[in-house]
Amino acid sequence: MGCASSVPDRTARGPNGLNPGGDGPSDAKNLKVKLVLLGDSGVGKSCIVLRFVRGQFDPTSKVTVGASFLSQTIALQDSTTVKFEIWDTAGQERYAALAPLYYRGAAVAVIVYDLTSPESFTKAQYWVKELQKHGSPDIVMALVGNKADLLDRREIPAEEGIEYAEKNGMFYIETSAKTADNINQLFEEIAKRLPRPDTSQ
Amino acid sequence: MASDSTSSSSDSAYDSAADHNPNSDTPINNHDSAIDDHLTSLTLTPLDEDLAPEKEREIEETDQTPMPEIGVTEVEEEAADVLASEVVVEEERESNSVSATGDVGLAWREEEVEAPASPGSSGYAGERGSSNASSASGIEEIGEDQVAERDGGLVNGVADSQPAWIPGKRHVNEDDTSILWRRRKKHFFILSHSGKPIYSRYGDEHKLAGFSATLQAIISFVENGGDRVKLVRAGKHQVVFLVKGPIYLVCISCTEEPYESLRGQLELLYGQMILILTKSVNRCFEKNAKFDMTPLLGGTDAVFSSLIHSFSWNPATFLHAYTCLPLAYPTRQAAGAILQDVADSGVLFAILMCKHKVVSLVGAEKASLHPDDMLLLSNFVMSSESFRTSESFSPICLPKYNSMAFLYAYVQYLDVNTYLMLLTTRSDAFYHLKECRASIEAVFLKSNVLSEVQRSMLDGGMHIEDLPVDPSSRSGSASSHLGQHSPERFRDTYTSLGGPCGLWHFIYRSIYLDQYVSSEFSAPINTPQQQKRLYRAYQKIYASMHDKGFGPNKTQFRRDDNYVLLCWVTQDFELYAAFDPLADKAMAIKTCNRVCQWVKDVENEIFLLGASPFSW
Ligand SMILES: Nc1nc2c(ncn2[C@@H]2O[C@H](COP(=O)(O)OP(=O)(O)OP(=O)(O)O)[C@@H](O)[C@H]2O)c(=O)[nH]1
Ligand SMILES: [Mg+2]
């Protein structure tokens, strides 16, 4: 048998659920945040994440199962870095009940809908309400209208998204995972809005 | 439809805003009782299956009209026909027209009309290709798809934005009125006890509402008489039924596979559904008998279609055993040791697989993993493309382990074919499992596990040309290793293709280990069609050897135009071997002995030995 100590000891760390642990804590210069993406199936959550993390867009659809985990670090102009630990959740109906598992303790929630689908906009509002009830109190929320490249098929006017976001204390952005439009801006904007740890500590 | 996106609540994914008509199934009952009297003329299986003599299992039907050759409305007639007489049909019609709502005939026609609007009321789901999936790749049924492949490509005209998108389910445009649909050799359906379609192998479930209602009518018709319909024969078609609480599964096939095999396939199909949803999905039907389950299976078409495809190429589907990737003993030991460490740290099962073959597998104390669960789990992971893009954490249910509860699976591909699955009961274990994966990968790197795995993929396992001449003379010698494949060795011993004495292929199943090993395919069995035909032949002989009526059959020797098949069952193993149809019987038997000896010689490499968690 192998050496048992080669395996991390689960009991060593407290039960912190699906929240990042291990490698180095956040400090004022290097933030580490848990981010969750929510939204109906097919709105493009995985495409947004893969565009942000790997700079790729794969038009063939790969329905997410459960949730995927990815991480990406960005550097801001004030020479701080932010490491996003991203939960890309499955939008399929059967996983809805499991969402709390992934958004519990999240500092950021990115709620995505498809500009060409009114249904997905309704679903986005459902997620906003759910997070207002059960998410972390100081959670940063972004409302994302994706597939902005499909100009002629737009169903939800920008004003509608902006208005809903403002009413709910979120910021609004329109993206295209396909063209990469506004993808980095989305995450940079989130990073700017993060509450900073007290620098005097 | 039930997929109203605002209806999902956080306490149950299965809550639905579907119909609010709790009585809507009663008219069917009424109409059943109207023809109840005629049921006495049927030969049906008593609920206690074991007491039923073989013959009574079937409702023989001499009508040569193949079932799928008829349109929607005729289907009803045919169905009734199969069950009873013309008179019954008439009466059924009458009672239909009398009852105001919900009778079978009316219900379908209504839904037929509605169909185009409803499927994607989630017209949105249609955005991705009805319910969706991907990997158009390998899933190409040969033979069962005799009709020319013409997918018509993209659904709902979304071609512009997703040029490369190919639906996981093919032939979505077909329904039971289409000639192509009716010509498919093997259909699989899942439906609810109220007749709502849940899954169909071909065609869009929603368009098949009428057909589904017919199937439901047949099943409930018989059930209301206190019986259970298991098999209906109509010409060369077999219709096999499996009832699982509120869920009905049906296979319509003209492939001539034995009833037991088709039933086993329906069992696996049901298991696959349970793996995705758990049996607690039954509760939705308690709340609402007309619950629409299709939204809960959104995006899983590829999972089901790849399982159905595996019925024709993966012997695990009828052997109920798993197979290992051949590996040098020390390599597999090294992999097993680190997986054992992981299991000791609170992981229920740690499984390393390469495609559908096990590299290593460890269970926590007392936990045992059924080969069928492994089959369903690996099928699920391999057919869900998203696992390949990044590490995932997903609820899954192992139906044989515990069909009521979810486990949580950490899944990560380590290379293009090799994936690690760590299963736990703890929903918060992700970060622990992620660390486990890191330490596993570190060990694999040190002991070259992954490069050995890749080499084994290239070399393959047991090549029949390598069957040792006289195993006893070289026992214990170094030559009892795999991977010294030399096609030359037997060229002189036997003139025809394949291995010595006309051996073409074999499968050896170890009963104690729940594992099997199958020889590599070589000429003359080298096309997928030939391989499928051989598996079907094995499947048939397997069913006959395991038929309860026959008792523990020891050997069987069958010669037909295609092969000589030799089957040998003992308490320890089962051997299925295929030979040239001209092979000599005595030589074939001798060769089988050599095969068994060979398997013993190399068992260290082809099987996962020791520390077996399979102790049920
Ligand atoms: N035109 C266009 N298509 C997009 C865009 N983003 C995603 N898509 C397409 O939308 C489909 C679904 O994208 P995914 O990222 O898999 O959707 P998802 O939200 O992750 O879906 P689930 O994993 O099922 O929850 C894919 O076929 C993409 O090609 C976009 O910005 N523009
Ligand atoms: Mg996704």
Side-chain angles (χ1 to χ4, degrees):
Chain A
M1 283 295 115
C3 158
S5 63
S6 60
V7 171
D9 180 6
R10 191 192 68 223
T11 52
R13 203 168 357 103
N16 55 357
L18 292 182
N19 289 312
D23 55 325
S26 284
D27 59 43
K29 281 277 170 199
N30 302 290
L31 296 179
K32 192 160 97 178
V33 295
K34 174 176 170 180
L35 179 152
V36 64
L37 281 108
L38 294 161
D40 208 352
S41 182
V43 297
K45 298 180 294 298
S46 301
C47 289
I48 290 173
V49 175
L50 290 173
R51 173 61 85 184
F52 173 55
V53 173
R54 300 194 187 142
Q56 300 165 345
F57 177 74
D58 178 353
T60 64
S61 193
K62 300 180 164 90
V63 198
T64 304
V65 177
S68 301
F69 180 85
L70 297 99
S71 62
Q72 172 72 306
T73 305
I74 59 170
L76 298 181
Q77 268 162 354
D78 60 358
S79 79
T80 57
T81 67
V82 179
K83 181 179 186 191
F84 290 106
E85 306 217 304
I86 303 169
W87 281 104
D88 169 23
T89 65
Q92 287 291 345
E93 176 124 357
R94 64 180 166 281
Y95 297 110
L98 288 159
L101 184 64
Y102 304 109
Y103 68 63
R104 200 176 297 136
V108 182
V110 175
I111 292 160
V112 186
Y113 67 94
D114 174 349
L115 288 173
T116 70
S117 157
E119 274 203 15
S120 73
F121 188 54
T122 313
K123 188 73 176 204
Q125 296 171 16
Y126 160 82
W127 284 120
V128 172
K129 287 188 202 107
E130 164 119 2
L131 285 167
Q132 285 167 343
K133 262 187 273 172
H134 305 291
S136 321
D138 52 355
I139 193 165
V140 174
M141 289 208 275
L143 183 65
V144 176
N146 188 41
K147 308 199 186 179
D149 55 290
L150 300 176
L151 293 173
D152 50 336
R153 290 175 50 201
R154 177 196 281 270
E155 294 268 344
I156 313 291
E159 302 76 53
E160 228 178 293
I162 293 167
E163 194 195 341
Y164 184 81
E166 270 175 4
K167 261 199 287 191
N168 290 277
M170 316 167 73
F171 82 88
Y172 176 80
I173 191 166
E174 291 188 356
T175 58
S176 167
K178 188 177 179 179
T179 63
D181 220 30
N182 269 347
I183 298 292
N184 287 337
Q185 287 83 337
L186 162 66
F187 290 91
E188 279 158 18
E189 189 58 38
I190 289 168
K192 277 187 219 151
R193 288 166 186 255
L194 285 171
R196 299 296 158 122
D198 194 343
T199 37
S200 63
Q201 278 182 350
Chain B
M1 161 176 129
S3 61
D4 174 3
S5 53
T6 56
S7 73
S8 74
S9 67
S10 61
D11 51 357
S12 163
Y14 304 143
D15 277 347
S16 137
D19 313 61
H20 294 289
N21 183 1
N23 298 323
S24 46
D25 55 338
T26 45
I28 291 174
N29 293 340
N30 293 343
H31 114 112
D32 284 347
S33 59
I35 42 174
D36 234 6
D37 295 345
H38 298 268
L39 268 172
T40 42
S41 60
L42 299 176
T43 329
L44 294 166
T45 317
L47 277 174
D48 185 353
E49 305 172 9
D50 290 336
L51 297 176
E54 171 74 7
K55 273 284 168 319
E56 286 184 11
R57 237 182 238 167
E58 303 167 9
I59 302 169
E60 290 292 348
E61 171 54 53
T62 43
D63 185 355
Q64 285 302 307
T65 316
M67 205 275 325
E69 295 295 329
I70 36 181
V72 200
T73 41
E74 288 100 32
V75 167
E76 184 191 12
E77 201 175 298
E78 171 81 4
D81 232 26
V82 169
L83 282 171
S85 64
E86 289 294 333
V87 189
V88 174
V89 177
E90 289 309 312
E91 286 204 25
E92 192 174 30
R93 286 277 166 74
E94 249 172 67
S95 77
N96 275 349
S97 50
V98 171
S99 56
T101 54
D103 71 83
V104 187
L106 280 180
W108 316 346
R109 265 155 230 141
E110 262 164 39
E111 293 190 48
E112 274 272 301
V113 176
E114 271 170 27
S118 68
S121 51
S122 211
Y124 187 58
E127 169 86 6
R128 311 184 59 142
S130 126
S131 47
N132 129 54
S134 48
S135 77
S137 52
I139 310 173
E140 208 61 68
E141 180 90 28
I142 300 134
E144 280 164 36
D145 265 325
Q146 289 178 322
V147 189
E149 292 287 319
R150 217 183 307 121
D151 273 321
L154 309 162
V155 189
N156 295 0
V158 283
D160 53 351
S161 64
Q162 296 153 25
W165 170 248
I166 299 156
K169 159 144 58 184
R170 292 162 307 139
H171 319 297
V172 273
N173 302 324
E174 299 176 10
D175 60 31
D176 53 335
T177 58
S178 121
I179 225 140
L180 296 178
W181 187 86
R182 286 188 247 149
R183 272 199 207 142
R184 305 274 166 223
K185 283 173 115 182
K186 203 170 171 187
H187 285 274
F188 285 94
F189 304 97
I190 310 179
L191 53 134
S192 75
H193 63 160
S194 75
K196 279 223 158 55
I198 296 171
Y199 171 80
S200 167
R201 181 186 191 188
Y202 300 116
D204 181 331
E205 290 81 15
H206 295 86
K207 289 191 202 148
L208 293 168
F211 189 77
S212 198
T214 310
L215 293 173
Q216 184 272 342
I218 296 175
I219 297 166
S220 71
F221 178 80
V222 175
E223 273 198 337
N224 290 339
D227 282 321
R228 182 166 290 177
V229 54
K230 295 165 79 179
L231 172 66
V232 173
R233 282 190 204 280
K236 55 191 175 82
H237 285 88
Q238 296 185 80
V239 187
V240 178
F241 297 88
L242 179 66
V243 173
K244 293 282 187 185
I247 297 183
Y248 298 164
L249 298 100
V250 182
C251 173
I252 302 179
S253 159
C254 59
T255 56
E256 291 174 353
E257 289 166 87
Y259 164 79
E260 288 73 18
S261 308
L262 296 174
R263 188 190 161 88
Q265 292 169 10
L266 289 178
E267 290 276 359
L268 286 171
L269 206 61
Y270 179 69
Q272 190 73 76
M273 200 190 82
I274 296 306
L275 182 134
I276 296 167
L277 296 174
T278 77
K279 242 187 194 160
S280 61
V281 74
N282 288 358
R283 278 192 230 123
C284 302
F285 292 100
E286 286 162 23
K287 284 187 208 155
N288 170 10
K290 291 214 144 190
F291 178 72
D292 179 6
M293 228 178 94
T294 44
L296 290 185
L297 289 174
T300 58
D301 271 336
V303 177
F304 289 104
S305 58
S306 98
L307 177 69
I308 290 169
H309 181 59
S310 74
F311 295 155
S312 59
W313 70 264
N314 189 347
T317 58
F318 63 90
L319 290 174
H320 305 290
Y322 67 94
T323 194
C324 286
L325 186 80
L327 266 190
Y329 185 70
T331 310
R332 201 187 310 277
Q333 282 293 96
I338 178 68
L339 294 187
Q340 183 66 56
D341 290 350
V342 162
D344 292 344
S345 80
V347 173
L348 191 60
F349 297 110
I351 311 161
L352 181 69
M353 295 188 72
C354 185
K355 291 195 168 166
H356 67 290
K357 297 184 178 183
V358 170
V359 176
S360 189
L361 147 71
V362 174
E365 222 184 311
K366 293 211 179 99
S368 64
L369 189 53
H370 193 283
D372 286 353
D373 282 352
M374 281 168 63
L375 171 78
L376 296 173
L377 180 62
S378 64
N379 179 65
F380 180 71
V381 170
M382 280 190 289
S383 58
S384 305
E385 284 287 310
S386 82
F387 286 120
R388 291 172 195 274
T389 37
S390 47
E391 56 191 329
S392 304
F393 191 58
S394 167
I396 55 103
C397 165
L398 297 178
K400 297 261 167 144
Y401 181 75
N402 180 354
S403 61
M404 291 308 292
F406 275 125
L407 296 172
Y408 296 86
Y410 173 95
V411 180
Q412 165 87 319
Y413 272 82
L414 304 182
D415 66 34
V416 72
N417 293 315
T418 314
Y419 51 100
L420 177 70
M421 299 180 285
L422 303 174
L423 271 49
T424 169
T425 52
R426 296 171 41 124
S427 63
D428 61 356
F430 174 80
Y431 285 93
H432 172 65
L433 300 180
K434 185 174 164 60
E435 286 168 23
C436 287
R437 188 262 304 160
S439 37
I440 289 169
E441 253 183 332
V443 169
F444 284 1
L445 200 65
K446 248 195 294 175
S447 33
N448 291 321
V449 172
L450 291 178
S451 48
E452 288 295 309
V453 163
Q454 273 161 10
R455 209 177 56 157
S456 171
M457 284 290 285
L458 291 175
D459 291 350
M462 304 182 86
H463 299 262
I464 44 171
E465 306 84 15
D466 296 347
L467 178 66
V469 192
D470 183 5
S472 53
S473 70
R474 35 150 288 276
S475 61
S477 79
S479 63
S480 62
H481 282 288
L482 293 170
Q484 301 170 336
H485 175 46
S486 54
E488 322 293 308
R489 203 186 290 179
F490 275 96
R491 199 149 278 170
D492 46 0
T493 341
Y494 200 82
T495 45
S496 81
L497 291 163
C501 308
L503 176 65
W504 281 356
H505 188 263
F506 69 85
I507 295 180
Y508 176 104
R509 174 185 185 229
S510 160
I511 302 205
Y512 171 68
L513 295 172
D514 264 318
Q515 295 172 46
Y516 74 89
V517 63
S518 169
S519 67
E520 297 294 324
F521 283 113
S522 60
I525 309 211
N526 37 17
T527 71
Q529 285 99 321
Q530 282 161 327
Q531 291 163 13
K532 177 165 149 185
R533 187 164 53 163
L534 177 59
Y535 278 145
R536 289 260 163 95
Y538 282 151
Q539 190 182 312
K540 212 171 203 158
I541 207 166
Y542 177 92
S544 75
M545 294 296 265
H546 289 261
D547 194 310
K548 282 186 205 122
F550 274 83
N553 218 335
K554 294 294 180 222
T555 55
Q556 215 181 121
F557 184 88
R558 271 193 201 184
R559 193 192 297 271
D560 65 20
D561 294 347
N562 301 313
Y563 333 92
V564 159
L565 281 187
L566 208 149
C567 174
W568 180 17
V569 173
T570 76
Q571 280 190 326
D572 301 324
F573 67 85
E574 294 175 2
L575 180 72
Y576 301 86
F579 290 83
D580 187 307
L582 301 174
D584 172 70
K585 184 172 177 180
M587 286 299 278
I589 292 172
K590 219 174 136 198
T591 307
C592 283
N593 275 308
R594 280 161 58 189
V595 167
C596 291
Q597 184 57 50
W598 189 28
V599 167
K600 290 226 168 61
D601 288 349
V602 295
E603 66 177 2
N604 269 346
E605 296 165 50
I606 55 179
F607 292 134
L608 179 63
L609 299 174
S612 167
F614 311 96
S615 45
W616 61 83

